[in-house]
Amino acid sequence: MPHLRGGERVELVNLAATGPLVFDLPKHYFTFATHVRGRSEEHRARLTSVFIEPEAARLSMVWQTSIPVRPADLDYLDETIVAEKAYLA
């Protein structure tokens, strides 16, 4: 099964007192720019987890990303900037 991307149809049956819930996951596209020792590396994330709480009418989505950093540079992680861009089909 490929990674979730957003836009997938979700159908929950017998999990809410109000009856079946049917919705599409929201579509979001994030970019990341991590600055280490004055250099910037852009990277992408993957949607890794979706938490659905029908009774609380709550949906949480988790994206993860990583970049390799040399051990000598671990103390020089300056910042990671997260931006949301338009989601293109």
Side-chain angles (χ1 to χ4, degrees), residues 33-56:
T34 297
H35 301 272
V36 179
R37 278 199 190 239
R39 69 176 175 82
S40 179
E41 183 170 339
E42 292 194 14
H43 46 110
R44 306 287 180 258
R46 287 188 174 186
L47 177 58
T48 57
S49 301
V50 176
F51 299 95
I52 303 170
E53 301 172 72
E55 295 301 321

Side-chain angles (χ1 to χ4, degrees), residues 3-65:
H3 283 279
L4 295 172
R5 298 176 48 100
E8 292 86 2
R9 173 63 44 119
V10 175
E11 296 184 27
L12 303 176
V13 179
N14 297 326
L15 293 175
T18 57
L21 297 174
V22 179
F23 60 94
D24 294 338
L25 289 177
K27 294 180 181 182
H28 294 284
Y29 181 67
F30 297 102
T31 61
F32 298 80
T34 297
H35 301 272
V36 179
R37 278 199 190 239
R39 69 176 175 82
S40 179
E41 183 170 339
E42 292 194 14
H43 46 110
R44 306 287 180 258
R46 287 188 174 186
L47 177 58
T48 57
S49 301
V50 176
F51 299 95
I52 303 170
E53 301 172 72
E55 295 301 321
R58 183 172 27 236
L59 169 72
S60 300
M61 300 167 72
V62 178
W63 284 261
Q64 291 181 326
T65 185

